Amino acid sequence: MVTRADIGVIGGSGFYSLLDDATEVEVTTPYGLPSDVVTVGRIGSRSVAFLPRHGRDHRFSPHRIPYRANLWALRSLGVRQVLAPSAVGSLRPEIGPGTLVVPDQFVDRTSGRVQTYYDNGGVVHVAFADPYCPTGRAAAASTARSSQWELVDGGTLVVIEGPRFSTRAESRWFTANGWSIVGMTGFPEAVLARELALCYTSLSLVTDHDAGVEAGEGVTHEEVLAFFGTNIVRMRSLVTDVVTALPEERTCACGNALDGLKLPFDLPE
Protein backbone atom coordinates (compact mmCIF):
# COMPACT_ATOMS: atom_id res chain seq x y z
CA MET A 1 0.00 0.00 0.00
CA VAL A 2 1.44 3.36 -1.06
CA THR A 3 0.44 6.30 1.15
CA ARG A 4 3.33 8.68 0.38
CA ALA A 5 4.23 10.24 -2.95
CA ASP A 6 6.90 12.50 -4.41
CA ILE A 7 4.91 13.65 -7.45
CA GLY A 8 1.46 15.19 -7.35
CA VAL A 9 -1.02 15.55 -10.21
CA ILE A 10 -3.90 18.00 -9.91
CA GLY A 11 -6.51 17.08 -12.51
CA GLY A 12 -8.59 19.82 -14.13
CA SER A 13 -12.03 19.88 -15.77
CA GLY A 14 -12.81 16.43 -17.14
CA PHE A 15 -9.69 14.91 -15.55
CA TYR A 16 -11.06 13.15 -12.51
CA SER A 17 -8.95 10.00 -12.23
CA LEU A 18 -5.45 8.80 -13.13
CA LEU A 19 -4.24 5.82 -11.12
CA ASP A 20 -5.76 2.37 -11.64
CA ASP A 21 -4.33 0.57 -8.61
CA ALA A 22 -4.33 3.21 -5.89
CA THR A 23 -5.02 3.84 -2.22
CA GLU A 24 -7.50 6.52 -1.20
CA VAL A 25 -6.07 8.80 1.48
CA GLU A 26 -8.17 11.29 3.41
CA VAL A 27 -6.08 14.29 4.40
CA THR A 28 -7.03 17.07 6.79
CA THR A 29 -5.20 20.40 6.70
CA PRO A 30 -5.19 23.66 8.67
CA TYR A 31 -7.12 25.07 5.70
CA GLY A 32 -9.92 22.55 5.68
CA LEU A 33 -10.42 19.54 3.46
CA PRO A 34 -8.97 19.35 -0.05
CA SER A 35 -11.26 19.10 -3.09
CA ASP A 36 -11.55 15.32 -2.67
CA VAL A 37 -9.78 12.32 -1.22
CA VAL A 38 -6.29 11.91 -2.63
CA THR A 39 -5.46 8.69 -4.45
CA VAL A 40 -1.89 7.47 -4.11
CA GLY A 41 -0.22 4.81 -6.23
CA ARG A 42 2.62 4.19 -8.65
CA ILE A 43 3.44 5.01 -12.23
CA GLY A 44 6.41 2.85 -13.03
CA SER A 45 8.89 3.39 -10.22
CA ARG A 46 7.45 6.76 -9.19
CA SER A 47 5.00 7.27 -6.36
CA VAL A 48 2.19 9.61 -7.37
CA ALA A 49 -0.66 11.39 -5.58
CA PHE A 50 -3.67 12.41 -7.67
CA LEU A 51 -6.20 15.05 -6.66
CA PRO A 52 -9.13 16.21 -8.84
CA ARG A 53 -9.06 19.99 -8.62
CA HIS A 54 -12.84 20.44 -8.85
CA GLY A 55 -13.70 17.21 -7.00
CA ARG A 56 -14.67 13.98 -8.74
CA ASP A 57 -18.23 15.26 -9.20
CA HIS A 58 -17.01 18.70 -10.34
CA ARG A 59 -18.66 20.38 -7.37
CA PHE A 60 -16.14 23.21 -6.92
CA SER A 61 -16.37 26.21 -9.21
CA PRO A 62 -12.96 27.78 -10.01
CA HIS A 63 -13.35 30.59 -7.47
CA ARG A 64 -14.45 28.14 -4.75
CA ILE A 65 -11.69 25.53 -5.06
CA PRO A 66 -9.90 24.99 -1.71
CA TYR A 67 -6.51 25.78 -3.25
CA ARG A 68 -4.62 26.12 0.03
CA ALA A 69 -5.92 22.81 1.35
CA ASN A 70 -5.10 21.06 -1.94
CA LEU A 71 -1.44 22.08 -2.07
CA TRP A 72 -0.94 21.59 1.66
CA ALA A 73 -2.44 18.10 1.45
CA LEU A 74 -0.07 17.13 -1.37
CA ARG A 75 3.00 18.40 0.46
CA SER A 76 1.93 16.60 3.65
CA LEU A 77 1.93 13.33 1.66
CA GLY A 78 5.53 13.94 0.58
CA VAL A 79 4.90 15.56 -2.79
CA ARG A 80 7.59 17.92 -4.01
CA GLN A 81 6.82 18.10 -7.76
CA VAL A 82 3.36 18.99 -9.09
CA LEU A 83 1.89 18.58 -12.58
CA ALA A 84 -1.25 20.57 -13.28
CA PRO A 85 -3.22 19.64 -16.42
CA SER A 86 -6.07 22.01 -17.23
CA ALA A 87 -8.42 23.14 -19.99
CA VAL A 88 -7.79 26.63 -21.41
CA GLY A 89 -9.00 28.90 -24.18
CA SER A 90 -6.71 30.24 -26.87
CA LEU A 91 -6.19 33.97 -27.35
CA ARG A 92 -4.41 33.54 -30.68
CA PRO A 93 -5.70 32.25 -34.02
CA GLU A 94 -2.55 30.18 -34.58
CA ILE A 95 -3.01 28.28 -31.30
CA GLY A 96 -5.91 25.99 -32.10
CA PRO A 97 -7.92 23.42 -30.14
CA GLY A 98 -5.87 20.33 -29.34
CA THR A 99 -2.66 22.30 -28.83
CA LEU A 100 -0.72 21.71 -25.64
CA VAL A 101 0.70 24.89 -24.12
CA VAL A 102 3.39 24.72 -21.44
CA PRO A 103 3.32 28.33 -20.21
CA ASP A 104 6.28 30.06 -18.64
CA GLN A 105 4.37 33.09 -17.28
CA PHE A 106 0.93 34.00 -16.00
CA VAL A 107 -1.06 37.14 -15.29
CA ASP A 108 -3.57 37.27 -12.45
CA ARG A 109 -6.93 38.83 -13.31
CA THR A 110 -8.87 37.23 -10.46
CA SER A 111 -10.48 39.06 -7.57
CA GLY A 112 -10.60 38.17 -3.90
CA ARG A 113 -8.91 34.76 -3.95
CA VAL A 114 -6.68 33.98 -0.97
CA GLN A 115 -3.23 33.64 -2.51
CA THR A 116 -0.92 33.04 0.43
CA TYR A 117 -0.29 30.83 3.43
CA TYR A 118 1.59 33.64 5.12
CA ASP A 119 -1.20 36.05 6.04
CA ASN A 120 -0.56 35.85 9.81
CA GLY A 121 2.45 35.66 12.08
CA GLY A 122 4.92 37.75 10.10
CA VAL A 123 5.71 38.98 6.61
CA VAL A 124 7.03 36.43 4.09
CA HIS A 125 7.94 37.64 0.60
CA VAL A 126 8.57 34.76 -1.83
CA ALA A 127 10.33 35.41 -5.16
CA PHE A 128 8.04 34.66 -8.09
CA ALA A 129 9.52 36.19 -11.24
CA ASP A 130 9.39 32.81 -12.96
CA PRO A 131 6.28 31.03 -11.67
CA TYR A 132 6.82 27.59 -13.21
CA CYS A 133 9.50 24.98 -12.60
CA PRO A 134 12.07 25.06 -15.44
CA THR A 135 12.87 21.38 -15.01
CA GLY A 136 9.21 20.37 -15.07
CA ARG A 137 8.57 22.56 -18.10
CA ALA A 138 11.49 21.02 -19.98
CA ALA A 139 10.34 17.49 -19.17
CA ALA A 140 6.77 18.28 -20.24
CA ALA A 141 7.79 19.93 -23.52
CA SER A 142 10.22 17.18 -24.46
CA THR A 143 7.70 14.46 -23.68
CA ALA A 144 4.94 16.21 -25.65
CA ARG A 145 7.19 16.61 -28.70
CA SER A 146 8.12 12.95 -28.67
CA SER A 147 4.42 12.06 -28.41
CA GLN A 148 3.57 14.15 -31.50
CA TRP A 149 1.56 16.79 -29.68
CA GLU A 150 1.10 20.16 -31.34
CA LEU A 151 3.10 22.09 -28.77
CA VAL A 152 3.62 25.68 -27.72
CA ASP A 153 6.61 25.81 -25.38
CA GLY A 154 6.21 29.03 -23.40
CA GLY A 155 3.62 31.79 -23.39
CA THR A 156 1.50 33.63 -20.87
CA LEU A 157 -1.62 32.26 -19.21
CA VAL A 158 -4.05 34.92 -18.03
CA VAL A 159 -6.17 33.66 -15.15
CA ILE A 160 -9.67 35.13 -14.82
CA GLU A 161 -11.99 34.93 -11.85
CA GLY A 162 -14.81 32.99 -13.46
CA PRO A 163 -17.07 31.20 -13.35
CA ARG A 164 -18.24 33.24 -16.33
CA PHE A 165 -16.22 33.30 -19.54
CA SER A 166 -14.65 36.49 -20.94
CA THR A 167 -16.51 39.15 -22.87
CA ARG A 168 -15.26 39.80 -26.40
CA ALA A 169 -13.76 43.10 -25.26
CA GLU A 170 -11.87 41.42 -22.41
CA SER A 171 -10.66 38.67 -24.71
CA ARG A 172 -9.39 41.17 -27.29
CA TRP A 173 -7.67 43.13 -24.55
CA PHE A 174 -5.89 39.99 -23.36
CA THR A 175 -4.74 39.29 -26.91
CA ALA A 176 -3.56 42.89 -27.39
CA ASN A 177 -1.37 42.47 -24.32
CA GLY A 178 0.43 39.58 -25.98
CA TRP A 179 -0.99 36.88 -23.75
CA SER A 180 -1.46 33.39 -25.17
CA ILE A 181 -4.17 31.46 -23.31
CA VAL A 182 -6.88 32.07 -20.74
CA GLY A 183 -8.06 29.90 -17.85
CA MET A 184 -9.62 30.07 -14.40
CA THR A 185 -7.52 27.88 -12.09
CA GLY A 186 -3.80 28.57 -12.62
CA PHE A 187 -3.89 31.16 -9.84
CA PRO A 188 -3.40 30.95 -6.89
CA GLU A 189 -2.34 27.34 -7.39
CA ALA A 190 1.12 28.18 -8.74
CA VAL A 191 1.73 30.79 -6.04
CA LEU A 192 0.81 28.43 -3.23
CA ALA A 193 3.06 25.73 -4.68
CA ARG A 194 6.00 28.15 -4.59
CA GLU A 195 5.17 29.14 -1.02
CA LEU A 196 5.52 25.45 -0.11
CA ALA A 197 8.78 25.15 -2.09
CA LEU A 198 7.16 22.78 -4.59
CA CYS A 199 7.96 22.47 -8.29
CA TYR A 200 4.86 23.35 -10.33
CA THR A 201 4.29 22.73 -14.05
CA SER A 202 1.17 23.66 -16.00
CA LEU A 203 0.00 21.40 -18.85
CA SER A 204 -2.62 23.52 -20.61
CA LEU A 205 -4.79 21.85 -23.23
CA VAL A 206 -6.49 24.31 -25.57
CA THR A 207 -10.15 23.36 -25.96
CA ASP A 208 -11.44 26.40 -27.86
CA HIS A 209 -10.70 29.88 -29.17
CA ASP A 210 -11.75 32.58 -26.73
CA ALA A 211 -14.63 34.92 -27.55
CA GLY A 212 -12.52 37.73 -29.01
CA VAL A 213 -10.56 35.51 -31.39
CA GLU A 214 -13.35 34.17 -33.58
CA ALA A 215 -16.89 35.15 -34.51
CA GLY A 216 -19.73 33.07 -33.12
CA GLU A 217 -21.62 32.66 -29.88
CA GLY A 218 -18.59 32.05 -27.70
CA VAL A 219 -17.57 28.97 -25.79
CA THR A 220 -19.80 27.06 -23.34
CA HIS A 221 -18.84 24.90 -20.39
CA GLU A 222 -20.41 21.86 -22.04
CA GLU A 223 -18.24 22.35 -25.13
CA VAL A 224 -15.08 22.61 -23.03
CA LEU A 225 -15.87 19.39 -21.15
CA ALA A 226 -16.81 17.58 -24.36
CA PHE A 227 -13.56 18.53 -26.10
CA PHE A 228 -11.45 17.68 -23.08
CA GLY A 229 -13.29 14.38 -22.77
CA THR A 230 -12.35 13.37 -26.33
CA ASN A 231 -8.70 14.02 -25.46
CA ILE A 232 -8.64 12.59 -21.93
CA VAL A 233 -6.98 9.28 -22.85
CA ARG A 234 -4.22 11.09 -24.68
CA MET A 235 -3.84 13.58 -21.82
CA ARG A 236 -3.58 10.81 -19.24
CA SER A 237 -0.91 9.16 -21.36
CA LEU A 238 1.03 12.41 -21.55
CA VAL A 239 0.83 12.97 -17.79
CA THR A 240 2.01 9.41 -17.19
CA ASP A 241 4.98 9.92 -19.49
CA VAL A 242 5.88 13.27 -17.94
CA VAL A 243 5.77 11.70 -14.47
CA THR A 244 8.38 9.14 -15.52
CA ALA A 245 10.48 11.88 -17.18
CA LEU A 246 10.72 14.05 -14.07
CA PRO A 247 14.06 13.75 -12.24
CA GLU A 248 14.13 11.91 -8.95
CA GLU A 249 16.46 14.51 -7.44
CA ARG A 250 15.51 18.16 -7.72
CA THR A 251 18.27 20.52 -8.88
CA CYS A 252 16.06 23.52 -9.76
CA ALA A 253 15.63 26.57 -7.55
CA CYS A 254 12.04 25.70 -6.55
CA GLY A 255 13.10 23.68 -3.53
CA ASN A 256 15.15 26.61 -2.23
CA ALA A 257 12.39 29.20 -2.62
CA LEU A 258 12.09 29.67 1.15
CA ASP A 259 15.79 29.70 1.98
CA GLY A 260 16.68 32.58 4.27
CA LEU A 261 13.06 33.39 5.05
CA LYS A 262 11.64 33.24 8.56
CA LEU A 263 8.39 31.29 8.37
CA PRO A 264 5.66 31.74 10.99
CA PHE A 265 5.03 27.97 11.14
CA ASP A 266 6.58 24.67 10.16
CA LEU A 267 5.72 23.16 6.80
CA PRO A 268 4.60 19.52 6.59
CA GLU A 269 7.37 17.04 5.89
Side-chain angles (χ1 to χ4, degrees):
M1 180 181 295
V2 180
T3 56
R4 297 276 292 178
D6 59 3
I7 297 172
V9 176
I10 303 176
S13 295
F15 200 141
Y16 306 124
S17 64
L18 175 67
L19 304 163
D20 293 327
D21 185 15
T23 302
E24 289 192 349
V25 181
E26 292 189 6
V27 185
T28 58
T29 82
Y31 308 96
L33 294 174
S35 296
D36 215 315
V37 295
V38 184
T39 53
V40 183
R42 291 195 176 275
I43 294 176
S45 63
R46 311 304 299 274
S47 55
V48 179
F50 177 79
L51 177 63
R53 183 183 288 119
H54 297 273
R56 283 178 287 190
D57 55 359
H58 206 99
R59 64 186 177 274
F60 289 109
S61 188
H63 65 301
R64 295 296 187 187
I65 291 169
Y67 292 102
R68 290 199 294 181
N70 286 353
L71 273 300
W72 190 276
L74 291 178
R75 175 162 174 127
S76 69
L77 292 174
V79 166
R80 295 298 181 267
Q81 300 180 80
V82 177
L83 299 176
S86 64
V88 297
S90 170
L91 296 170
R92 304 197 164 276
E94 67 272 19
I95 303 177
T99 303
L100 182 79
V101 182
V102 185
D104 59 356
Q105 287 292 323
F106 79 76
V107 172
D108 169 30
R109 290 292 303 164
T110 66
S111 175
R113 298 186 187 186
V114 179
Q115 60 173 297
T116 184
Y117 291 104
Y118 307 117
D119 49 2
N120 288 297
V123 178
V124 178
H125 296 294
V126 178
F128 202 59
D130 298 299
Y132 301 109
C133 175
T135 302
R137 287 192 65 258
S142 176
T143 301
R145 285 194 190 96
S146 64
S147 301
Q148 306 304 309
W149 280 82
E150 186 173 348
L151 172 71
V152 175
D153 184 0
T156 297
L157 163 68
V158 54
V159 186
I160 61 175
E161 177 67 5
R164 69 168 178 87
F165 292 108
S166 305
T167 66
R168 295 189 196 282
E170 289 168 333
S171 181
R172 290 169 185 148
W173 178 52
F174 299 157
T175 299
N177 278 302
W179 304 333
S180 307
I181 51 177
V182 57
M184 298 180 187
T185 58
F187 173 91
E189 208 167 78
V191 181
L192 297 172
R194 182 63 54 83
E195 287 197 341
L196 295 179
L198 306 179
C199 298
Y200 183 90
T201 303
S202 174
L203 305 173
S204 299
L205 176 64
V206 174
T207 60
D208 60 275
H209 280 108
D210 207 46
V213 181
E214 291 184 334
E217 295 301 316
V219 67
T220 67
H221 186 222
E222 290 73 19
E223 290 170 342
V224 169
L225 290 178
F227 187 91
F228 201 95
T230 63
N231 287 272
I232 190 62
V233 173
R234 192 177 184 210
M235 195 65 170
R236 280 202 193 101
S237 178
L238 174 68
V239 169
T240 297
D241 291 343
V242 176
V243 163
T244 59
L246 290 173
E248 294 192 11
E249 297 295 329
R250 294 198 293 168
T251 58
C252 60
C254 306
N256 305 115
L258 304 176
D259 289 2
L261 299 177
K262 183 178 180 181
L263 304 184
F265 47 76
D266 293 329
L267 300 183
E269 295 297 328

